[in-house]
Amino acid sequence: MPSADQHQAFIRHFLQHQDDLRAFVASAIRDWARADDIVQDVSVVLWERYEQYDPQYAFGAWARGIAANLVKREYRRVKRGPQRLSEAAIDALCAAFDEAAEERGSGERQAALRACLGELGDKPRHLLSLRYEEDLPHQDIAARVSTSVEAVSKMISRTRAALQRCVLKRLKLEGLG
Amino acid sequence: MNEDLRALIDAWLTGEITEDQSAELDRALREDPQAARLFAELARQEQDLRRFHRTRSDQRAAGQQPLSARHERQVTGDGPNRSDQRSTRAVSRHAGASGGQRLPRRTQRTRRRRTPIPIPILVPGLAVAALLVIGVVLLLREPPAPPVVEPQPVVEAPEMTPLPSEPAGPTVATLIEAVGLRVDGVPVALGAELAAGARVTTTAEGRATMRFDDGSTAVLGAGCELVLPPAGDATELVLERGRVVSEVQPRSAPYAVGGEHGRVTVLGTRFSVERQGARSLAAVERGRVQVAPTSGTAVELGPRDEAEFDASGIRALRREVVGVEAWRRYGSLADERDGRRLRVAFTNADLPWQAAAWYEPEPIDLTARPTVLAAQVTLPPRASDDDTRGVSLVVAPTLDFDQGDLHRQEFQAETFVRVIAIRGLVRLETKDGPDADEARQWIDRPALWERVAPQRPFRLELEVGPELVTLRLDGEQVFHGPHSLPLTSAHRGVRVMNKLLVGGEAVVDFRSWRVDGDSP
């Protein structure tokens, strides 16, 4: 059984990386409730194998490798369902997450996002609210704001691009980017 | 290229993507590291946006008007509000989760349910915050003048008519706990002496405890009606409705709870009798009782035995047949085994996610008799919006599995029934074979918000028989229906997966019953 020190170290590591793990798993699974379950399983595997973890390697990459395996198993397990990524694409994603994983903390990124959301105009903010707060598909959003689905998709995509630029700018200003 | 790729990734993340687009995205991720990196960035952003809006959603549950609703009314004049939508969704969920329905066999892909802060938690929280603010303001002001002691107004106690000091007949018991209690239709005060033959009733939220001269006690639950025994050595309560739990001291005279269906006589024990419509249910916690239907053969019940009976006889008898002592453990948490009970001390309360431990008792043939798993749970305080700590009970086949790789994949490959309770949510999950998807069914009732809440103890029970599955919360049945699972004699065994993460402890109570008769 891991020692108390290892326990503390594990908690620190996992807290630091859990957001990234969830983002990785959820983006591949696209079922946020199911993704939570998988991340929970990842946390258990990590805890039980923590004694095998070599601190000279990045914890995030190690954890993501386990998460990737569980995502692949999930794909194999659920034989029917929506489109899925190939195993090669998941591996590529894993590498991409690894590349940027330790560069910035999720807390700073989220704070920057909050600030950037505050700078948005009413309309884009409303669209994001309909999508994320009310969980509406683009088709329903289009009906609610009396426009086409394509227009909604494009507006949300542009808003997200603007938010991404804004967040990067803020993080750079704070020396975190 | 970037805008097209963004659109593809957006479409993927929202699930609104065609097969062709999906293949195109897959190819881009495999062949272009920059595409993969953009995907990673947008995936993080997706999560951040969801987190941000979920927080707002929780704030809305606190009564703050949502920006989107305000905006929409400005734009359209009469947009539907969210509470209406939520109600509609709740109604539709109720429609799918009512007791007795066949469980769906396919996974119900639902959008993530948000978990608004329950009002009972939120309101006190806001009140505490307000008091703190007031306290800080007061502290920053000039020192207060010495307090002036003023006479306090006399607070009148609610009007209550105590029983006459001299009961109508000989006293048989004393009231030591009373909420919503009437004796012969009259409210009574604590400490009142209860006369022989009195009719005692509790309201729908009432409860009462009576102590008899020898120290034996009878606890009346809500909605109970019984008649006290006549004067004499023997004590026989006549139960007309509701449930009464008796704890009987060793005595020479008989103690019994009877009624239309028959009589349960104590042989020195703690037991309960409950009227359930056309039948009564007797359950023994310790000691032994004799259950004698009005007509038919009497049976004796030992600890943890149960009998359903009506006037014509014993309808079902459940006896525990397996003493489960050999719990195999595949986890990192401390535990103590006490026969079928497993006491789990959670020493890793700081872990951010669920710590899970598997426990496997000796194999039980699920096709022959029902199995009950019960956990007494106290969820920890909510640490964050994403805090989904809870408890999971699983009835699954026994498998030989590698300890190093012990997680859901193994039992997902087979047949299982599982219940998960997380902060106001209870979800029943089944899988009916290696090639099937999980079927998920939310048990969604307003009362769950109060019961399955952080820092409030609750009891979760999962009973799986050869044909039926029953789910109880704090003793109340919240689901009962056929499970349609292809259990065979090869499918046997139980596992408990404790995804609980608390600073205290949980007791997982395992039972397996042999059922004789036609119940349930």
Side-chain angles (χ1 to χ4, degrees):
Chain A
M1 179 179 287
S3 67
D5 285 348
Q6 283 177 313
H7 180 215
Q8 291 301 320
F10 173 76
I11 290 170
R12 277 197 306 276
H13 271 133
F14 192 76
L15 279 173
Q16 187 185 345
H17 293 281
Q18 64 172 340
D19 281 348
D20 237 28
L21 283 173
R22 194 184 298 109
F24 169 71
V25 172
S27 65
I29 298 293
R30 294 182 298 163
D31 174 336
W32 289 80
R34 184 77 191 102
D36 277 351
D37 288 347
I38 292 175
V39 173
Q40 289 159 19
D41 289 347
V42 171
S43 73
V44 175
V45 176
L46 291 173
W47 169 241
E48 284 168 356
R49 297 184 183 177
Y50 192 59
E51 283 175 309
Q52 302 164 19
Y53 167 60
D54 183 347
Q56 63 179 309
Y57 296 100
F59 180 88
W62 179 61
R64 210 164 2 259
I66 289 172
N69 286 335
L70 294 188
V71 166
K72 290 173 189 173
R73 283 197 194 187
E74 176 73 4
Y75 275 1
R76 288 194 290 270
R77 188 186 71 79
V78 182
K79 295 185 174 55
R80 294 170 294 276
Q83 298 94 344
R84 56 199 59 196
L85 298 172
S86 64
E87 295 202 352
I90 291 174
D91 291 338
L93 267 185
C94 221
F97 269 87
D98 289 349
E99 235 180 283
E102 270 78 31
E103 287 180 9
R104 56 182 80 97
S106 60
E108 288 83 1
R109 196 182 64 232
Q110 287 154 13
L113 178 69
R114 277 195 296 275
C116 293
L117 282 165
E119 295 173 7
L120 285 179
D122 276 357
K123 190 172 181 182
R125 202 160 44 183
H126 178 52
L127 290 177
L128 290 183
S129 175
L130 290 173
R131 172 166 164 188
Y132 292 107
E133 205 167 324
E134 304 204 15
D135 259 347
L136 296 180
H138 287 185
Q139 191 171 0
D140 292 358
I141 296 173
R144 291 274 285 271
V145 298
S146 305
T147 188
S148 68
V149 176
E150 292 72 24
V152 166
S153 299
K154 196 163 280 186
M155 278 189 283
I156 289 180
S157 187
R158 284 178 180 166
T159 302
R160 291 189 52 166
L163 283 173
Q164 193 186 15
R165 287 194 297 272
C166 174
V167 167
L168 285 174
K169 187 177 164 188
R170 280 183 172 271
L171 290 176
K172 275 182 184 165
L173 283 175
E174 293 167 16
L176 294 164
Chain B
M1 164 268 188
N2 205 316
E3 193 163 342
D4 291 344
L5 184 58
R6 275 180 182 283
L8 270 184
I9 297 171
D10 259 0
W12 170 265
L13 292 174
T14 54
E16 300 178 15
I17 191 167
T18 65
E19 289 287 349
D20 288 347
Q21 287 174 320
S22 181
E24 188 182 343
L25 175 64
D26 194 275
R27 189 170 54 250
L29 294 176
R30 282 183 280 117
E31 295 174 358
D32 182 358
Q34 282 190 328
R37 180 154 180 150
L38 179 62
F39 186 108
E41 288 173 3
L42 290 178
R44 289 191 178 106
Q45 188 193 53
E46 177 82 3
Q47 169 167 284
D48 291 345
L49 285 167
R50 283 180 181 272
R51 177 196 297 273
F52 175 81
H53 287 88
R54 272 178 56 195
T55 304
R56 277 163 50 100
S57 181
D58 284 353
Q59 288 168 348
R60 281 164 34 134
Q64 298 171 17
Q65 194 178 32
L67 174 68
S68 60
R70 288 201 306 271
H71 183 86
E72 191 156 280
R73 274 193 286 278
Q74 287 164 9
V75 173
T76 67
D78 61 352
N81 66 37
R82 182 174 169 77
S83 62
D84 289 341
Q85 292 176 350
R86 188 177 291 155
S87 300
T88 307
R89 286 183 204 154
V91 168
S92 62
R93 287 199 295 271
H94 278 299
S98 58
Q101 288 196 346
R102 184 167 293 264
L103 295 176
R105 285 177 174 247
R106 300 288 172 247
T107 302
Q108 297 171 347
R109 292 285 172 200
T110 55
R111 288 175 178 270
R112 182 188 179 93
R113 288 170 200 282
R114 297 199 188 88
T115 53
I117 302 171
I119 297 302
I121 297 171
L122 186 65
V123 170
L126 291 173
V128 168
L131 286 173
L132 285 174
V133 169
I134 292 167
V136 169
V137 170
L138 290 175
L139 282 173
L140 293 175
R141 293 173 58 182
E142 291 181 4
V148 177
V149 179
E150 293 183 0
Q152 296 295 308
V154 176
V155 178
E156 295 285 345
E159 186 178 351
M160 181 173 285
T161 309
L163 280 181
S165 55
E166 290 294 329
T171 299
V172 294
T174 304
L175 200 58
I176 59 173
E177 181 197 13
V179 177
L181 177 81
R182 286 172 179 262
V183 177
D184 291 333
V186 180
V188 293
L190 207 59
E193 294 186 331
L194 305 178
R199 180 173 293 271
V200 182
T201 56
T202 55
T203 62
E205 296 178 345
R207 176 187 162 92
T209 303
M210 300 177 296
R211 184 169 57 212
F212 297 90
D213 289 345
D214 67 349
S216 300
T217 57
V219 180
L220 281 63
C224 190
E225 181 167 0
L226 65 76
V227 178
L228 294 178
D233 291 338
T235 301
E236 178 169 350
L237 309 175
V238 179
L239 180 67
E240 303 202 337
R241 62 185 166 88
R243 181 168 186 255
V244 58
V245 178
S246 301
E247 182 154 10
V248 182
Q249 298 298 317
R251 49 162 53 203
S252 54
Y255 180 108
V257 178
E260 181 188 350
H261 302 149
R263 176 189 296 133
V264 180
T265 305
V266 171
L267 306 175
T269 187
R270 178 178 167 85
F271 72 103
S272 67
V273 182
E274 182 175 3
R275 286 286 294 260
Q276 298 178 333
R279 292 184 181 181
S280 288
L281 172 69
V284 177
E285 289 184 31
R286 62 172 182 266
R288 299 189 70 78
V289 304
Q290 183 193 65
V291 180
T294 304
S295 60
T297 309
V299 295
E300 281 193 12
L301 300 183
R304 308 174 70 83
D305 288 348
E306 293 185 2
E308 282 185 32
F309 61 100
D310 58 21
S312 61
I314 301 290
R315 310 305 304 170
L317 185 59
R318 300 187 192 115
R319 293 191 190 278
E320 191 166 69
V321 291
V322 179
V324 179
E325 295 177 355
W327 290 84
R328 296 169 63 196
R329 174 166 161 266
Y330 307 94
S332 52
L333 308 179
D335 65 73
E336 295 173 12
R337 300 165 188 83
D338 173 19
R340 62 192 160 261
R341 279 182 184 237
L342 183 74
R343 186 173 296 278
V344 185
F346 293 93
T347 56
N348 53 349
D350 296 329
L351 275 175
W353 281 96
Q354 284 90 334
W358 284 89
Y359 302 92
E360 187 178 80
E362 288 174 339
I364 303 299
D365 187 349
L366 293 177
T367 63
R369 49 185 172 262
T371 286
V372 174
L373 288 175
Q376 184 72 32
V377 182
T378 304
L379 298 179
R382 190 181 185 192
S384 71
D385 290 342
D386 296 316
D387 185 346
T388 56
R389 293 175 289 183
V391 65
S392 169
L393 301 175
V394 188
V395 173
T398 299
L399 294 172
D400 292 326
F401 62 93
D402 173 12
Q403 183 172 349
D405 194 10
L406 53 86
H407 302 291
R408 56 186 316 123
Q409 289 71 31
E410 282 75 17
F411 73 78
Q412 279 178 344
E414 297 294 340
T415 301
F416 69 83
V417 179
R418 173 170 58 176
V419 59
I420 296 175
I422 305 168
R423 269 198 356 249
L425 301 176
V426 176
R427 191 170 74 196
L428 188 62
E429 299 181 344
T430 58
K431 187 177 180 192
D432 63 4
D435 296 326
D437 291 342
E438 284 179 29
R440 295 175 173 183
Q441 181 146 344
W442 293 92
I443 312 298
D444 191 353
R445 299 183 183 184
L448 296 187
W449 282 108
E450 295 173 10
R451 283 188 177 156
V452 187
Q455 297 178 289
R456 182 199 181 284
F458 66 91
R459 182 176 172 83
L460 184 68
E461 286 183 42
L462 174 66
E463 177 175 335
V464 179
E467 296 174 350
L468 296 165
V469 58
T470 304
L471 188 59
R472 297 184 198 91
L473 193 66
D474 285 342
E476 180 188 338
Q477 181 175 297
V478 295
F479 182 88
H480 178 67
H483 54 59
S484 313
L485 298 176
L487 297 178
T488 68
S489 58
H491 289 95
R492 59 185 207 162
V494 176
R495 288 178 183 174
V496 180
M497 184 172 186
N498 227 319
K499 287 178 140 180
L500 184 65
L501 186 58
V502 295
E505 64 177 22
V507 176
V508 179
D509 186 358
F510 170 82
R511 280 194 283 174
S512 179
W513 288 337
R514 184 183 73 227
V515 176
D516 303 317
D518 58 359
S519 171

